[in-house]
Amino acid sequence: MAHARTAGAPARECAWCGRRFGSGDERRAGRIRCSACGVATTSPWPGDEQLAGAYAAWYRPAGGRFSGAGDAVLKRTRSALASRLHRVLPPGPVLDVGAGDGTLVEAFRRHGRQAAGVDPYAAGGSPHVRAAEFEDIDGAWSAVIFWHSLEHLRRPVQALRHAAALIVPGGVLVVAVPNAGSLQARLFGDRWLALDLPRHLVHLTPPALLTQVRDLGFQVERVSYLRGGQVLFGWLHGIVALLPGHPDLYDAIRRGHARQAPQRPALRLYALAAAVAALPLALTGTLLEAATRTGGTIYLEARRQDLSGEWFRHHFMSMP
Ligand SMILES: [Zn+2]
């Protein structure tokens, strides 16, 4: 399992609220759940070298990650996201945090909107994506987007605070993260797709995320448990992983060179066939999650309210 590759010291404090772990915090495979804020922190806490290895070329190869139509589907869904956000965001530049190869940034630019990305693991695929840490980025932005990237950051709350400092009044924060409080997370436990150890460092719940975003002075305008994507696939992956031999569907749909471990063709075929058979059950699970608002991802749009708080301090108090 993925967390077996995680070496290093156990996490000492909650990566979300900063509280020091004690005997009252629940230890689970590869993570510790904070009894104060409900967020789980990956443990052992991976070192820089180990994370660099976990993001090595196989994770996002230049030739594409997925076989068949997978990469094209990914590009189309990013394009749809950009089109929708372009309509609802105020005019001005947008910043995509954890931009990867720049698919979302390029989609915004096709609408004629100024857009840039930041990603410490950027491989130089797009001239508009800077290989840097988010906290080194400055400027005034109409929107900052964390599309499945917040959970990869070592200091996620500081990152949100930094975003609050960069977003102009009336601007929008967009976040999509896996929902560790979802039905599928609870059902599939240690085999849940979106645990993704050791790359995911925090495992968030809706109350923890929403409270933090509001505390930073944002008005939450939209919360969706489907829009963040990966909900149906999370079910498919989880159901297939319950079968004998625990086939890894996520690896099965990746191109040969983009897999974590070599996979025998027969096992790959077995995983794919099982996914087809599991589709009706996975659809049922997805609908159930949608109806009960416990979906596998949390998506939110939140608007920056006024000149108070982080934005004011950042832009005016720091002047000489
Ligand atoms: Zn905590």
Side-chain angles (χ1 to χ4, degrees):
M1 279 171 74
H3 60 259
R5 287 193 299 276
T6 306
R12 290 148 61 106
E13 57 183 34
C14 173
W16 190 250
C17 75
R19 194 181 132 273
R20 213 177 163 78
F21 286 130
S23 55
D25 301 296
E26 187 192 350
R27 266 76 177 166
R28 302 193 60 178
R31 60 213 189 273
I32 303 173
R33 188 177 165 279
C34 174
S35 59
C37 71
V39 173
T41 295
T42 292
S43 180
W45 186 249
D48 288 344
E49 207 171 290
Q50 192 191 351
L51 277 188
Y55 289 107
W58 69 264
Y59 183 65
R60 283 199 290 218
R65 271 186 282 179
F66 300 108
S67 42
D71 279 320
V73 169
L74 205 66
K75 197 171 171 184
R76 224 172 16 250
T77 54
R78 291 293 187 280
S79 182
L81 174 70
S83 299
R84 210 193 72 80
L85 285 175
H86 180 63
R87 285 196 304 274
V88 303
L89 296 178
V94 302
L95 178 66
D96 182 19
V97 182
D101 58 7
T103 308
L104 185 60
V105 170
E106 299 304 331
F108 272 113
R109 296 184 75 89
R110 282 197 293 278
H111 286 286
R113 185 185 281 265
Q114 238 186 303
V118 55
D119 194 321
Y121 299 102
S126 162
H128 307 293
V129 178
R130 249 181 81 181
E133 296 291 341
F134 169 54
E135 288 182 49
D136 295 331
I137 301 291
D138 211 336
W141 302 84
S142 291
V144 173
I145 302 166
F146 293 88
W147 185 261
H148 292 279
S149 58
L150 193 64
E151 67 275 25
H152 293 259
L153 302 180
R154 287 195 182 278
R155 309 197 307 158
V157 172
Q158 282 87 339
L160 287 178
R161 196 168 291 136
H162 187 59
L166 301 188
I167 295 172
V168 298
V172 176
L173 170 73
V174 179
V175 179
V177 291
N179 179 4
S182 64
L183 190 57
Q184 55 179 271
R186 279 174 282 168
L187 202 59
F188 301 127
D190 297 343
R191 294 190 185 278
W192 183 42
L193 173 70
L195 273 185
D196 199 19
L197 302 170
R199 282 171 295 273
H200 289 186
L201 299 173
V202 285
H203 309 275
L204 292 162
T205 63
L209 178 63
L210 294 174
T211 303
Q212 186 59 60
V213 165
R214 289 188 181 113
D215 283 354
L216 287 169
F218 289 94
Q219 168 110 29
V220 177
E221 294 189 340
R222 179 189 288 269
V223 181
S224 165
Y225 295 93
L226 276 182
R227 204 178 279 280
Q230 302 181 8
V231 178
L232 177 64
F233 191 75
W235 277 96
L236 279 176
H237 181 91
I239 297 167
V240 169
L242 293 175
L243 297 172
H246 307 298
D248 188 321
L249 182 60
Y250 184 63
D251 255 10
I253 65 159
R254 294 166 74 95
R255 291 173 196 250
H257 59 268
R259 284 179 207 135
Q260 300 190 56
Q263 205 172 39
R264 278 184 297 118
L267 193 64
R268 184 161 181 247
L269 204 62
Y270 166 45
L272 295 176
V276 173
L279 191 57
L281 190 55
L283 274 168
T284 307
T286 301
L287 291 174
L288 192 63
E289 280 191 331
T292 53
R293 294 178 68 76
T294 56
T297 51
I298 318 163
Y299 170 92
L300 70 84
E301 291 168 11
R303 199 171 296 268
R304 171 122 215 101
Q305 286 307 291
D306 49 42
L307 274 174
S308 65
E310 299 296 332
W311 198 87
F312 183 81
R313 274 197 289 282
H314 187 80
H315 288 271
F316 296 104
M317 304 295 268
S318 58
M319 284 181 180

